[in-house]
Amino acid sequence: MVVRTYEQELSYIKQVSDVQYEVNMGFVPNMHVPGTFYVNDKLKDLLFEELQQHVARGEHGGFLPAVKQLANVAALPGIVKRSIALPDVHSGYGFAIGNVAAFDMKNPEAVVSPGGVGFDINCGVRLIRTNLSVADVEPLKEQLAQSLFDHIPVGVGSQGIIPTTAKDLEAALEMGMDWSLREGYSWAEDKEHCEEYGRMLNADPSKVSARAKKRGLPQMGTLGAGNHYAEIQVVEEIYDEAAARKMGVDVTGQVCIMIHSGSRGLGHQVATDALVEMEAAMARDGIATNDRQLACARISSKEGQNYLQAMACAANYAWVNRSSMTFLARQAFAKQFHRTPDDLDMAVVYDVSHNIAKVEEHDVDGQHMKLLVHRKGSTRAFPPHHPLIPVDYQLTGQPVLIGGTMGTCSYVLTGTEKGFRETFGSTCHGAGRARSRNNSRHKLDYQQVLDALKAKGIAIRVASPKLVMEEAPESYKDVTAVVDTCHAAGISKKAVKLRPIAVVKG
């Protein structure tokens, strides 16, 4: 192990634009491609300080810094072009959160890694519009927050209220939103405005362990805890009127609902099961990685295919989960306003995934390739005219939903042609942590956090006050700086800014 000084480490990192840096090969052993990360002046210090602290610790203890994790991913077999980190990047398990990497499907050595998807498979965000204005909602926001809290089960270990049998679960894992549609929990047009149309077709429920199914069965239609939330938001600023008009969120003061959740215990178990299987496959196939957490298997291997099919089931489960909560949110609003969800125009604007691996076609160095794109803590952001985005958004590009932290603004962006070329059609997913959960609990007082939200006029309902500190705005990077970096880099384009008026958390 070569021990380098901080200055020596910096010699491998080169600034290529105001918002982009390149990590040259040799930064860590065995890199096949360079790395790149996008940060502006407001965000760069966090990444470089993390690297400096790592050098000072002398390789002992703590998470690897995100820049090192980014480079270790560049050393995985079959990776193409570059390992990419987006402005909200922070240390994670194996891959950094905010890391994008693509692997050549034709290369027999190419791998799939559960660390490149994350434990909360298809954690994602859904935006639902309404025809209500802030003037309609403001007098009722406390009652609405309570109504959402009453309708949507929240918190660690929360259990769903939509009746689900083991047979229903099997069908949901295979069918995704088609199950929700069949059971009457979803509108037909919801599916159109969902990544993958709410269903990954390679899902095989037989590849999901009995333990994962047992964990998932009681949790269907639940928000969970951590950074998951349901928020009532108001359109604060419109940057791209044509895109906003297409999405139906084109009036300042218009009320929307944002739901951020994933695949709950089921997705976590799928990832855990796969990591165990893959460690054995690595020993068998002689696959070496720079970091034990980068457990992986060849895409074409039995373990690789098992994981991709089980991951697709977990992704389908997450879409069903968000669909069930959409159904419950529509009920909550309908009861408060004594009008049907249809009358309130509670249509899904879009639903995006933040943690997923998908087979896609991209051009790499002038060559058309079929790639397995891992996006962990990043969002697909396809450009106008791409065949995989809905007809409604063909002229604007795919809507990209960027959830802010509790009490801060959120954004809707659109995909760009430049992003498709440079980042495999990917952009940021949120603010990204600046402070660990444990650190936040020790440094912040939950009453102060709640008081600060109240002072901003935000109604809040939480299942666990302890978790409020973990998710306080102080624990995260500035989401506006993250979004501005992506906009300046041209990898996505700002369309709408939303601010919260009520928050429901686990």
Side-chain angles (χ1 to χ4, degrees):
M1 174 69 73
V2 181
V3 178
R4 292 195 289 244
T5 65
Y6 178 58
E7 284 67 32
Q8 287 170 326
E9 294 282 29
L10 285 184
S11 68
Y12 287 90
I13 301 172
K14 184 176 77 184
Q15 186 164 3
V16 292
S17 80
D18 287 346
V19 291
Q20 189 179 1
Y21 293 76
E22 190 141 297
V23 181
N24 293 324
M25 285 157 76
F27 184 61
V28 301
N30 311 315
M31 286 172 73
H32 302 297
V33 294
T36 192
F37 59 93
Y38 295 86
V39 283
N40 66 7
D41 288 342
K42 283 184 180 172
L43 298 168
K44 69 178 183 187
D45 289 350
L46 268 171
L47 276 190
F48 286 111
E49 278 167 21
E50 194 183 51
L51 180 62
Q52 195 170 11
Q53 286 163 8
H54 172 72
V55 172
R57 277 198 310 267
E59 311 280 332
H60 300 298
F63 261 118
L64 274 177
V67 187
K68 286 281 182 190
Q69 291 191 315
L70 165 80
N72 283 336
V73 168
L76 288 174
I79 189 169
V80 299
K81 199 170 183 174
R82 57 175 77 99
S83 174
I84 299 158
L86 297 155
D88 46 348
V89 69
H90 54 286
S91 292
Y93 184 91
F95 280 60
I97 295 154
N99 198 176
V100 177
F103 297 81
D104 180 6
M105 296 288 289
K106 278 193 178 158
N107 182 342
E109 304 288 312
V111 296
V112 56
S113 174
V117 172
F119 284 94
D120 193 1
I121 296 164
N122 191 5
C123 175
V125 173
R126 173 175 291 209
L127 186 67
I128 304 151
R129 69 175 187 234
T130 73
N131 55 17
L132 297 164
S133 73
V134 67
D136 299 322
V137 170
E138 195 65 47
L140 292 169
K141 75 178 174 198
E142 289 293 340
Q143 295 95 308
L144 270 172
Q146 189 60 46
S147 186
L148 278 178
F149 191 71
D150 293 342
H151 277 76
I152 299 173
V154 300
V156 180
S158 51
Q159 301 212 344
I161 54 173
I162 287 175
T164 318
T165 64
K167 197 173 162 196
D168 286 329
L169 179 66
E170 290 282 326
L173 294 179
E174 186 178 339
M175 295 170 68
M177 276 180 70
D178 286 336
W179 180 85
S180 304
L181 195 55
R182 187 185 80 184
E183 299 298 316
Y185 298 123
S186 181
W187 297 354
E189 56 268 36
D190 292 352
K191 219 172 102 66
E192 291 295 312
H193 286 186
C194 188
E195 196 172 321
E196 296 295 313
Y197 300 102
R199 178 179 186 176
M200 288 188 84
L201 297 170
N202 61 326
D204 180 353
S206 72
K207 299 299 194 295
V208 178
S209 70
R211 180 163 168 71
K213 288 172 184 171
K214 187 180 176 186
R215 289 181 70 177
L217 185 59
Q219 293 182 333
M220 192 103 88
T222 63
L223 192 63
N227 62 349
H228 296 154
Y229 59 76
E231 278 189 357
I232 302 170
Q233 301 177 336
V234 173
V235 174
E236 187 170 68
E237 228 173 311
I238 294 168
Y239 307 103
D240 183 337
E241 288 191 9
R245 207 163 33 248
K246 275 288 179 197
M247 295 175 207
V249 285
D250 54 345
V251 180
T252 308
Q254 183 179 347
V255 170
C256 298
I257 301 143
M258 188 176 270
I259 294 171
H260 178 200
S261 188
S263 50
R264 306 288 278 111
L266 182 135
H268 199 286
Q269 193 62 46
V270 164
T272 305
D273 294 340
L275 288 168
V276 173
E277 260 200 2
M278 285 186 184
E279 283 199 359
M282 286 172 75
R284 181 194 68 212
D285 295 337
I287 301 169
T289 61
N290 288 349
D291 180 1
R292 264 199 71 212
Q293 293 184 354
L294 289 171
C296 55
R298 290 182 180 146
I299 297 170
S300 54
S301 70
K302 179 170 137 299
E303 293 82 3
Q305 288 302 306
N306 283 355
Y307 170 68
L308 286 171
Q309 289 164 345
M311 183 210 71
C313 288
N316 288 346
Y317 178 96
W319 279 312
V320 168
N321 200 22
R322 290 197 286 277
S323 295
S324 300
M325 285 186 279
T326 302
F327 172 79
L328 296 167
R330 283 169 174 158
Q331 299 301 308
F333 267 67
K335 276 185 189 169
Q336 281 298 320
F337 290 98
H338 308 292
R339 291 163 66 191
T340 67
D342 219 354
D343 286 341
L344 293 168
D345 189 32
M346 294 184 77
V348 171
V349 174
Y350 206 61
D351 179 305
V352 293
S353 170
H354 291 160
N355 286 346
I356 207 154
K358 292 196 292 197
V359 178
E360 295 173 1
E361 292 183 16
H362 292 271
D363 289 333
V364 178
D365 302 327
Q367 199 182 344
H368 194 67
M369 297 177 92
K370 199 175 185 185
L371 305 174
L372 181 65
V373 183
H374 294 61
R375 292 190 183 91
K376 178 185 186 176
S378 68
T379 316
R380 191 186 80 176
F382 279 179
H385 314 301
H386 193 284
L388 292 181
I389 60 175
V391 174
D392 291 348
Y393 301 131
Q394 278 291 310
L395 297 177
T396 61
Q398 178 208 309
V400 179
L401 310 175
I402 309 299
T405 59
M406 188 169 62
T408 66
C409 55
S410 296
Y411 288 86
V412 184
L413 316 178
T414 51
T416 64
E417 201 58 60
K418 188 181 183 192
F420 193 67
R421 286 195 310 272
E422 289 194 6
T423 61
F424 304 108
S426 313
T427 192
C428 62
H429 85 303
R433 292 197 83 86
R435 195 191 282 251
S436 75
R437 289 196 155 89
N438 199 29
N439 189 316
S440 301
R441 278 202 299 274
H442 289 118
K443 297 268 170 73
L444 302 168
D445 170 51
Y446 82 88
Q447 199 52 53
Q448 288 174 314
V449 175
L450 292 178
D451 291 346
L453 290 170
K454 275 196 183 126
K456 287 183 183 172
I458 298 169
I460 178 154
R461 297 292 183 278
V462 280
S464 166
K466 182 185 77 172
L467 296 178
V468 172
M469 291 100 76
E470 293 182 5
E471 302 307 320
E474 294 84 348
S475 306
Y476 284 86
K477 298 177 186 178
D478 174 7
V479 69
T480 300
V482 169
V483 165
D484 285 347
T485 304
C486 292
H487 186 81
I491 58 174
S492 50
K493 188 176 161 201
K494 290 198 288 190
V496 178
K497 180 183 180 182
L498 303 147
R499 70 174 171 87
I501 57 169
V503 183
V504 171
K505 285 197 79 75

